[in-house]
Amino acid sequence: MTHRRVPIRLSLLFALAASAPGNSARAQIPQYAHVVVVVEENHNFSEIIGSPSAPYITDLAANSALFTSSHGTEHPSQPNYLDLYSGFNQGVVADNTSLLAPFTTANLGASLFKAGFTFSDYSESLPYSLPGNRSVAVAPGTPGATAYGFTGDSYSAHAGLTEYERKHNPSVNWQNETNPGANQLPATTNQPFTAFPTDFSLLPTVSFVIPNQQNDMHDGTIQMGDTWLLNNIEAYRQWALTHNSLLIVTFDEGSEDTNTPVDGAANRVVTLFSGQGVNTGQYSEPVTHFSVLRTLEDMYNLPTSGAGDLEAMPIIDVFAVPEPNTLALVAAGICAALAAFIVRRKWRAPPEHEQVLSRKRTALVSTGIAIAISGFAMVDLRAATVIAPNELPDPNSAGNLPATQTYGDTSNLFPLFPGAGTSLRYQQIYDASQFTALSPGGEDITEILFRVGSDAATRLDHGAFATTIPAIEFTLSTTSATPDNLNGTFTNNPGADATTVYGIPGTGSPLAVSSSGSASGNPAPFDIVVLLTTPFRYDPSKGNLLLDIQNFAGAASPTGIELDGTFAAGDSVSRAYNFGNVAAATANNSDTIGVVTEFVTVPEPGVVSLLVVALSLPVTLRMRRRGLTR
């Protein structure tokens, strides 16, 4: 009887881990659920970044992957849009509508549809039109009119202003709803910006957003375009940071104005990526519209569209590669043990080889166990939560409630709802003793959450609400100040590590907040969420935590909503604030009140799993020295 060798190598285990369902460790470019590409107009890099007229984009760039050597591909506008969308200008070298349209050449939208994804182009000021005559704008309410699919060259709802321009809407050049041919698109992909969903989960896989010429900096000012982005795109960007989504902002071309010499000859423009898993910072590699298109194509495993993206290199260095999926590692460990069991049951070696085979099976099982333990260890690296203060008593018993159920003995409008148009500077301190759950050396705070108050049996039910605070800024720092002893001068309280974690410094940003409400006398969920754009590293051993909030325009409290809080003297929180003057240097009130706050933190990734692997290495090496592994 002969015996065939059945080689089972350790590399197989890692292949199993990499191919396990749900594995998130994509080699280079993650596949996002949604990508929004916003195209601005005709300004050089140096006209935008650092400009006092563009505070939002400047702040966005500081919290994104900013490409410092990004360039438009040509002049004037339309060829750049076609390059970005299809890898080739389709022979269009001016801003006129091509007589060859609708094109049948390859393009991003068609490739996405063929691969089972979706695409839309959202153009601001796109008018209504009739399916039988898409080139003529008609009034809303016209029988048969639809608010999509317009193919005309331009449209403006305001006399004397230029608004929608077809030359800035690349996908319309492939639109054909009557008799679509190869690579042509339905009219429904050509949408007005009013159709851009407020529930961002309803967005297509990839979408282009085209502001009108008053808001894309072409005819309007830089400041107008900057404000439009803040008001219309920032909410999506915030959402994208935690929903596997990406925002790309770019400019079609640099300035053609001969009186604007800086960057003009090089056609240097702003291009930035912001989203979940994007490593912030400045990147100096050369980037063009072809590079951006190639990145999107590789992201969804699409073919290239034209000569430009075919030759371009995709952008890969800005994306963080996550740790191996926990379940994949566990699965690999289990597979190793099963493989050893099968080998033992199905394959018997001659007596003279059985001892060696037994040792190899032992090594295989040991490796599988190590992989499984690493996977299970990674489960502990989930986000942690800290609720402060957490020493609040249960009003219905003599004991304390668990931290997840504790609620305060008061409610307060501050710091979110001081009243419409009433600004507020607000500082609240949290004693370091509240953060014992954090890992030694501290953790990154990534979210701050509040909740609706429910402090007294007589309080009316606080109903569900959703609203937007117009302009607010959050800063965190370590502080040497202590509860009930905040200094009346605001600048004396923050520590040297003070970090703006949400909002544009000095002006704030809009913050969308909502809650499912609270029944009287019952703890409410922490569902008023501030997702930090910049995590803050907090180490309780170095001092207490200070939350510094500047509410620049105030906000009205919807349906009388107040936040859960406590006013007990001597507890772990207190506050100082100036009601009515966000720019004030000193507080006009201080007290022992503080809102009950939940902090979500994330420890250093991979520490436990790396420790497990490190501990398992000596065993593996010893097996190798003894000839038990190959």
Side-chain angles (χ1 to χ4, degrees), residues 47-365:
E47 292 180 278
I48 304 298
I49 300 302
S51 168
S53 298
Y56 170 69
I57 298 180
T58 298
D59 181 71
L60 175 60
N63 292 283
S64 304
L66 173 67
F67 300 97
T68 58
S69 185
S70 176
H71 302 269
T73 44
E74 46 194 311
H75 293 296
S77 289
Q78 184 167 224
N80 287 278
Y81 284 87
L82 295 170
D83 289 338
L84 175 62
Y85 180 73
S86 67
F88 170 50
N89 65 18
Q90 307 300 321
V92 177
V93 296
D95 285 336
N96 60 290
T97 298
S98 173
L99 297 177
L100 299 177
F103 303 134
T104 59
T105 50
N107 61 88
L108 177 62
S111 294
L112 284 163
F113 283 123
K114 289 176 184 177
F117 301 104
T118 52
F119 171 83
S120 280
D121 201 323
Y122 296 98
S123 297
E124 189 182 21
S125 301
L126 187 79
Y128 281 71
S129 60
L130 292 171
N133 193 359
R134 288 292 190 191
S135 64
V136 176
V138 298
T142 302
T146 56
Y148 60 83
F150 180 70
T151 61
D153 289 344
S154 62
Y155 177 79
S156 177
H158 300 87
L161 294 180
T162 303
E163 294 184 316
Y164 171 76
E165 289 287 326
R166 174 184 167 128
K167 64 182 180 179
H168 296 161
N169 182 0
S171 68
V172 71
N173 293 286
W174 282 263
Q175 179 182 317
N176 186 352
E177 65 184 317
T178 57
N179 186 26
N183 296 311
Q184 293 184 333
L185 302 173
T188 50
T189 60
N190 184 13
Q191 295 280 342
F193 185 67
T194 52
F196 192 80
T198 54
D199 179 353
F200 302 127
S201 66
L202 301 179
L203 279 165
T205 310
V206 177
S207 53
F208 276 35
V209 170
I210 311 298
N212 69 30
Q213 288 209 165
Q214 301 303 312
N215 294 319
D216 66 2
M217 306 188 197
H218 187 285
D219 289 3
T221 64
I222 291 174
Q223 185 171 2
M224 288 171 62
D226 189 75
T227 302
W228 191 93
L229 284 172
L230 171 63
N231 292 338
N232 292 279
I233 299 300
E234 172 63 12
Y236 166 76
R237 186 184 80 89
Q238 295 286 347
W239 181 86
L241 292 171
T242 57
H243 289 81
N244 186 34
S245 296
L246 178 69
L247 170 67
I248 298 174
V249 176
T250 190
F251 282 67
D252 68 328
E253 59 177 332
S255 175
E256 293 186 89
D257 185 351
T258 56
N259 295 318
T260 309
V262 180
D263 295 339
N267 206 2
R268 183 178 178 225
V269 297
V270 171
T271 300
L272 59 85
F273 287 12
S274 179
Q276 189 167 24
V278 173
N279 292 319
T280 61
Q282 295 190 359
Y283 295 80
S284 59
E285 71 258 38
V287 168
T288 67
H289 298 320
F290 298 134
S291 311
V292 174
L293 175 60
R294 179 60 183 268
T295 303
L296 293 173
E297 290 167 335
D298 284 12
M299 186 179 294
Y300 299 104
N301 299 310
L302 307 177
T304 54
S305 300
D309 52 320
L310 175 64
E311 297 297 326
M313 294 296 295
I315 298 166
I316 61 175
D317 54 340
V318 304
F319 301 110
V321 179
E323 291 194 19
N325 181 274
T326 300
L327 294 180
L329 286 174
V330 175
I334 294 172
C335 287
L338 286 175
F341 175 78
I342 292 170
V343 169
R344 185 177 183 86
R345 293 293 302 271
K346 299 296 185 182
W347 179 36
R348 297 290 181 181
E352 63 271 21
H353 298 309
E354 184 60 35
Q355 185 177 11
V356 173
L357 179 61
S358 177
R359 290 173 178 173
K360 291 183 179 292
R361 281 195 295 259
T362 300
L364 186 61
V365 172

Side-chain angles (χ1 to χ4, degrees), residues 10 363 618-630:
L10 297 182
V619 177
T620 305
L621 292 174
R622 185 178 179 186
M623 289 179 177
R624 183 175 292 277
R625 284 197 300 269
R626 295 180 61 187
L628 300 182
T629 61
R630 294 193 64 187

